[in-house]
Amino acid sequence: MPAARMEYIAPWWVAWLHSVPHVGLRLQPVNSTFNPRDASYQESLLFLGLVAAVCLGLNLIFLAAHLVCVCCCRQDDAVQTKQRNSCCVTWTAVVAGLVCCAAVGVGFYGNSETNDGMYQLIYSLDNANHTFSGIDTLVSGTTQQMEVNLEQHLARLGEIFAARGDYIQTLRFIQQMAGTIVAQLSELPVWRGVTAELTELSDQAGHVEYYRWLSYLLLFILHLVICFITCLGLAKRSRCLLALMLCCGALALLLSWTSLAADTAVAVATSDFCAAPDTFILNVTEGQIHTEVTRYYLYCSQSLSSPFQQALTIFQRSLTTMQIQVVGLLQFAVPLFPTAEKDLLGIQLLLNSSESSLHQLTAMLDCRGLHKDYLDALAGICYDGIEGLLYLGLFSILAALAFSTLICAGPRAWKHFTTRDRDYDDIDDDDPFNPQARRIAAHSAPRGQLRSFCSRSSGLGSQTSLQPPAQTVSNAPVSEYMNQAVLFGGNPRYENVPLIGRGSPPPTYSPSMRATYLSVADEHLRHYGNDFPA
């Protein structure tokens, strides 16, 4: 029962991409028929890449103009405006990072789809190559059996049957049938050149696809690393990380537009092929393979008869006739010539092997197997392959948008960091709430001063070598404050004593705490009041 013809139907994106205007470098229209060897067609694909290059130039001009505006404009010094600008920069970076991550996800899917389509194409090419190689092997093997092995058996039988003319006539008839089979096999196409081209095409496609897949994988990793650097730079408010992000973002922007140009050109060219693949293959194989044979495998229609049917039929009839003649010789000649049995049995085994080869050859020459490989190859490049390229193009657009946004937000973040540090510089160094004052105080000499105060309050024998403080002590002297620090273990207890001598309002005390503080203060005034007179 013949299998139903499997039809190839081009997807909608093939028709959409095929309808893209093909224009040469001189802006003249070019035929959209797939013809990679035509110079004008190559220029039309190059023109698509130049369009992406122009878009890159416009993007860079926009970014440059934005950077100039950001550097020239003056920020409002109001606190609310600073907070609003900081929040805007942060959310802009967050949204751009999310868009970049989404773009990488889309790119991973598109890269996988394209890889699946390419390897489906390679697998189909290898299957077709295996079929063609098998056909050539069967034809060459059967031809050698008929021309060499059968000829040896017939030569020995001719010597044995030299006295019997009727047997010699039978041997000549068998030899004639063998020549007919060889003649029919010689009419079959030789696929040696096709297999060599398919092998080269499969190897090139495998190498190109491997490096293409690896390049996009590295590009995805680069994008994720840049997003991580951006988040880390904003979180740590690091200008170095921010500058690194700007440099890497510009590189990623360039790579995104370059990948978009390559994807667009390849997608349009592949769509031009997928719009009419049969026509292109017929034109390419013209002169190498008979057109009737090419059509038979491309269309595999029930209305088309096999171009090998006549040759296979003659092969079958000649082989059957030879088998009948050999059986007759075994029945009538062997009793008279026992030595002829070995050669006749050898001929019979040879004919049985040729019959098995005939069945295999008939199956391999049938159009259904090769036509299925052809449709699988088309599905790989026209469905999965082009679909993956479209997703990769979307990835490039989203990545370019995300990195353009990050580059626009980078100078604002840099300016905000600079303004924040300048505001800290304007604060009094003695202000305990100044972050820079805290950092400076951590590495300066107050620790040594603290030890001198403690030694003055604890070492009573050396009081004559100490000078009294120059400043006037108000309600609670500094010595009192430091002596209280010694009483509490050598460390000031800021939560239990007021900020003395700093002009800061005293904290609010509960009645019990106030009583405790006043009693401790009176006691120290009695003990050390004479050491530091007012």
Side-chain angles (χ1 to χ4, degrees), residues 106-380:
V106 172
F108 267 112
Y109 177 76
N111 199 33
S112 177
E113 284 293 305
T114 304
N115 185 261
D116 292 342
M118 288 299 298
Y119 276 103
Q120 186 174 354
L121 169 64
I122 295 172
Y123 181 77
S124 300
L125 291 177
D126 292 339
N127 280 344
N129 199 6
H130 178 73
T131 301
F132 290 136
S133 300
I135 292 173
D136 286 341
T137 301
L138 289 175
V139 170
S140 61
T142 305
T143 301
Q144 182 179 4
Q145 288 180 351
M146 294 298 170
E147 291 182 345
V148 179
N149 299 337
L150 181 62
E151 186 65 26
Q152 293 176 357
H153 290 293
L154 292 177
R156 286 193 292 267
L157 289 175
E159 295 177 358
I160 296 173
F161 299 149
R164 295 291 303 266
D166 53 345
Y167 293 159
I168 295 296
Q169 187 68 27
T170 303
L171 295 178
R172 291 177 179 175
F173 182 75
I174 293 175
Q175 188 176 13
Q176 183 181 358
M177 291 295 100
T180 302
I181 292 176
V182 171
Q184 296 302 319
L185 292 177
S186 63
E187 293 182 0
L188 297 178
V190 179
W191 304 102
R192 189 175 299 108
V194 176
T195 55
E197 292 181 359
L198 290 180
T199 301
E200 182 180 2
L201 179 61
S202 178
D203 293 340
Q204 291 180 354
H207 284 90
V208 171
E209 173 56 24
Y210 172 75
Y211 289 110
R212 186 208 63 80
W213 176 85
L214 182 61
S215 299
Y216 270 102
L217 182 63
L218 295 177
L219 185 60
F220 299 152
I221 295 175
L222 175 63
H223 285 11
L224 293 178
V225 169
I226 295 175
C227 291
F228 176 76
I229 292 175
T230 303
C231 296
L232 188 62
L234 292 177
K236 296 180 66 66
R237 299 184 179 274
S238 173
R239 298 180 187 176
C240 295
L241 293 177
L242 190 61
L244 180 61
M245 182 275 294
L246 292 176
C247 296
C248 294
L251 176 61
L253 184 64
L254 177 62
L255 294 177
S256 298
W257 283 107
T258 303
S259 64
L260 179 61
D263 293 337
T264 303
V266 174
V268 171
T270 309
S271 298
D272 293 338
F273 167 77
C274 294
D278 301 339
T279 303
F280 174 74
I281 294 177
L282 286 172
N283 294 332
V284 170
T285 58
E286 186 177 3
Q288 300 179 359
I289 304 175
H290 199 276
T291 305
E292 184 181 0
V293 176
T294 307
R295 290 182 177 274
Y296 173 68
Y297 287 118
L298 290 180
Y299 300 105
C300 194
S301 176
Q302 296 180 358
S303 60
L304 295 176
S305 59
S306 173
F308 317 114
Q309 186 63 43
Q310 183 178 0
L312 296 176
T313 301
I314 296 175
F315 186 0
Q316 179 68 48
R317 291 176 180 177
S318 301
L319 193 62
T320 303
T321 303
M322 293 172 66
Q323 290 175 340
I324 294 174
Q325 296 297 326
V326 171
V327 171
L329 290 175
L330 285 173
Q331 292 179 354
F332 298 104
V334 170
L336 299 176
F337 304 96
T339 57
E341 183 178 5
K342 181 179 179 180
D343 289 318
L344 290 175
L345 290 177
I347 292 176
Q348 190 175 32
L349 291 175
L350 186 148
L351 295 178
N352 291 336
S353 176
S354 299
E355 185 177 9
S356 177
S357 299
L358 173 63
H359 294 314
Q360 296 180 21
L361 189 61
T362 302
M364 287 185 174
L365 289 174
D366 187 77
C367 66
R368 287 174 292 182
L370 288 172
H371 184 69
K372 182 180 182 301
D373 294 334
Y374 173 63
L375 292 181
D376 290 342
L378 290 180

Side-chain angles (χ1 to χ4, degrees), residues 450 453-454 456-457 471 473 475-502 507 509 517 520-521 524-525 528 532:
L450 180 61
F453 276 110
C454 293
R456 183 175 58 208
S457 61
Q471 63 180 358
V473 180
N475 294 332
V478 178
S479 61
E480 174 188 348
Y481 172 75
M482 297 311 302
N483 286 326
Q484 292 182 23
V486 173
L487 290 177
F488 287 105
N491 295 323
R493 298 293 298 271
Y494 296 106
E495 68 274 12
N496 293 329
V497 296
L499 298 177
I500 304 173
R502 295 181 178 266
Y509 293 97
Y517 170 72
V520 173
H524 283 279
L525 285 176
Y528 303 104
F532 302 102

